[in-house]
Amino acid sequence: MGGGTNGTTTGNDAPAQVPHPALMIPGPIEFDSAVLSSMSHYAESHVGIPFCTTFGESLSMLRRLFQTTSPASQPFVISGSGTLGWDLVAANLVEPGDDVLVLHTGYFADSFADCFSTYGINATQVKAPIGDRPQPDAIEQALRSKPYKLLTVTHVDTSTGVLSDIRAVAHLVHRVSPDTLIIVDGVCSVGCEDLQFDAWGLDAVITASQKAIGCPPGLSISIFSDRAMDRFQARKSPPGSYFASMRNWLPIMQNYEAHKPSYFATPPTQLIHALHTTLTQVLSTPLSTRFATHAAASQRVKTAVSRLGLKQLATKPENQANAMTAIYLPEGLTPPEILPVLLKKKGVVFAGGLHKEIAAKYIRFGHMGVSVTDKEGGRDDIGKAIAALEEGVGEWRKEKGQS
């Protein structure tokens, strides 16, 4: 098998990771060795003061990551995948029969809409062609057609690599339909794309641990505005879920952030330690620097893709995410043909297509977290992945007699 990466970080004494293929999918991503070492923390009580302190500090650090200073903003960290964030929104912020507007940039808008329908919520989608995003005039027309309780937008849709302009969408909603809550699916953006919760007037951002935040999978992470929490408190019917009920989780999060023991369901203690470690690392440098580093790495990848004569699903530069790149394969080459070659011969794991209409035509290249930021640790996952892609596609073209 091709050479691996050990993920060691300069300046810590965490054990080196065993050699393994570079994981360059849009999540889970490569993890820092110190973060993985935190996962081996000894067993401890989830209501003991040491753990309460770790959890409380993690919640407070998340406020900085989401760029909110409002004490009324409420973070949540719950066992589960990013998908649980959809349930938190659907079960708590809207009620059966309510109307919501979903901006569609790929697979995950369809899934969010499906989640709403499970709770009896009426979801209307504003769609765009594959690789594009809904235009402001279409969004405004939809908002003026009827009152919507909330609008959802996926910041980076992992199925297409399309980046939404959250600031512009938020400004439009505040102007046209100020009572509509603004909900951002930031699963593949928080930690690598600029997302200003307070400054842009957002009402909720939902994300997960395993992408740009840089923690192993298993944590649903979110934050809600005071306006969103007021909407929850004013609901006429009980929340539509038990496990995802804010009635159950709100006092738990408030107590933990105050470093007080509390219990509704047992948190994953080792994952919380890993989250604390990665948040400490992420916030050790200005967020603006982190975003710029991801933007530079993204441009490096996209330049290489263009040099190979390949096209992205997101053709417009303003639509292209910094977290990942979705790449059309040459005509006649499919993901099942190229992905095993890239893994076995080149030691790099890429992801296949996810969008149902074109899944067999493209692959996805994730570039987030330590693979981008750990320049002093001796790793060059981005360079290795680019080389693998160039060699893999080049060899296929040579076999087919293409130049």
Side-chain angles (χ1 to χ4, degrees):
M1 182 176 290
T5 172
N6 61 27
T8 55
T9 299
T10 301
N12 70 56
D13 56 0
Q17 299 173 40
V18 297
H20 61 276
L23 186 61
M24 306 304 291
I25 66 176
I29 66 169
E30 285 287 332
F31 301 120
D32 182 81
S33 295
V35 173
L36 294 181
S37 182
S38 297
M39 290 288 292
S40 63
H41 193 281
Y42 56 80
E44 65 179 337
S45 170
H46 58 290
V47 292
I49 295 303
F51 177 73
C52 292
T53 300
T54 299
F55 203 163
E57 290 175 352
S58 299
L59 289 165
S60 296
M61 285 192 283
L62 282 171
R63 293 178 180 275
R64 293 169 57 195
L65 181 63
F66 285 116
Q67 302 187 65
T68 176
T69 58
S70 170
S73 300
Q74 181 58 55
F76 289 82
V77 177
I78 304 173
S79 302
S81 70
T83 305
L84 180 60
W86 298 340
D87 286 86
L88 280 172
V89 171
N92 294 283
L93 301 186
V94 280
E95 303 186 55
D98 283 348
D99 292 303
V100 301
L101 189 64
V102 177
L103 305 189
H104 186 288
T105 52
Y107 175 92
F108 291 95
D110 289 328
S111 299
F112 207 161
D114 189 40
C115 178
F116 281 121
S117 68
T118 301
Y119 289 89
I121 314 301
N122 304 316
T124 299
Q125 295 196 54
V126 178
K127 297 193 173 185
I130 295 174
D132 207 347
R133 60 195 187 194
Q135 297 304 299
D137 57 346
I139 301 171
E140 180 168 350
Q141 182 179 3
L143 286 171
R144 293 189 183 281
S145 68
K146 66 170 73 171
Y148 288 101
K149 293 290 185 180
L150 58 81
L151 171 147
T152 75
V153 53
T154 307
H155 198 182
V156 173
D157 194 295
T158 323
S159 71
T160 58
V162 170
L163 174 73
S164 293
D165 187 341
I166 302 300
R167 183 178 185 177
V169 169
H171 179 76
L172 189 157
V173 175
H174 288 307
R175 176 174 61 82
V176 176
S177 184
D179 291 334
T180 299
L181 297 181
I182 303 165
I183 313 299
V184 178
D185 181 335
V187 170
C188 196
S189 70
V190 173
C192 63
E193 306 277 2
D194 193 16
L195 188 59
Q196 300 182 30
F197 192 78
D198 286 355
W200 298 349
L202 308 179
D203 293 298
V205 176
I206 58 176
T207 189
S209 53
Q210 76 276 9
K211 296 186 189 265
I213 290 177
C215 177
L219 295 175
S220 171
I221 299 170
S222 54
I223 195 158
F224 296 85
S225 69
D226 55 344
R227 196 167 73 134
M229 297 310 296
D230 288 345
R231 181 74 61 85
F232 159 68
Q233 298 289 1
R235 60 180 297 120
K236 298 180 178 65
S237 59
S241 168
Y242 183 69
F243 185 73
S245 170
M246 286 184 178
R247 286 187 182 175
N248 292 326
W249 284 114
L250 179 57
I252 309 302
M253 295 299 118
Q254 291 173 332
N255 284 337
Y256 269 129
E257 192 166 11
H259 300 190
K260 297 177 182 178
S262 198
Y263 176 74
F264 164 59
T266 305
T269 53
Q270 279 72 23
L271 271 174
I272 298 299
H273 279 284
L275 177 64
H276 188 280
T277 300
T278 192
L279 289 176
T280 301
Q281 293 177 343
V282 168
L283 296 171
S284 66
T285 57
L287 287 175
S288 58
T289 300
R290 183 177 180 84
F291 300 147
T293 301
H294 278 83
S298 176
Q299 191 56 49
R300 181 184 177 191
V301 171
K302 289 166 173 57
T303 298
V305 168
S306 178
R307 189 169 60 242
L308 265 173
L310 303 178
K311 295 182 178 180
Q312 298 178 54
L313 271 65
T315 55
K316 301 175 184 176
E318 63 270 23
N319 290 356
Q320 296 169 358
N322 292 321
M324 60 164 294
T325 306
I327 308 162
Y328 279 116
L329 292 170
E331 186 72 27
L333 179 60
T334 64
E337 291 178 88
I338 189 67
L339 292 179
V341 172
L342 297 175
L343 170 60
K344 295 178 182 179
K345 293 185 178 181
K346 312 301 179 184
V348 180
V349 182
F350 292 92
L354 186 60
H355 196 292
K356 297 175 183 177
E357 295 180 32
I358 54 170
K361 297 182 178 180
Y362 74 106
I363 61 173
R364 296 173 298 144
F365 183 157
H367 29 85
M368 292 173 269
V370 292
S371 291
V372 171
T373 61
D374 186 17
K375 297 178 180 179
E376 297 180 0
R379 68 193 304 156
D380 185 16
D381 293 340
I382 302 299
K384 179 177 180 178
I386 290 174
L389 187 63
E390 290 174 340
E391 293 169 9
V393 171
E395 291 169 4
W396 178 84
R397 284 172 169 163
K398 186 176 181 179
E399 291 175 2
K400 299 296 180 182
Q402 302 177 12
S403 57

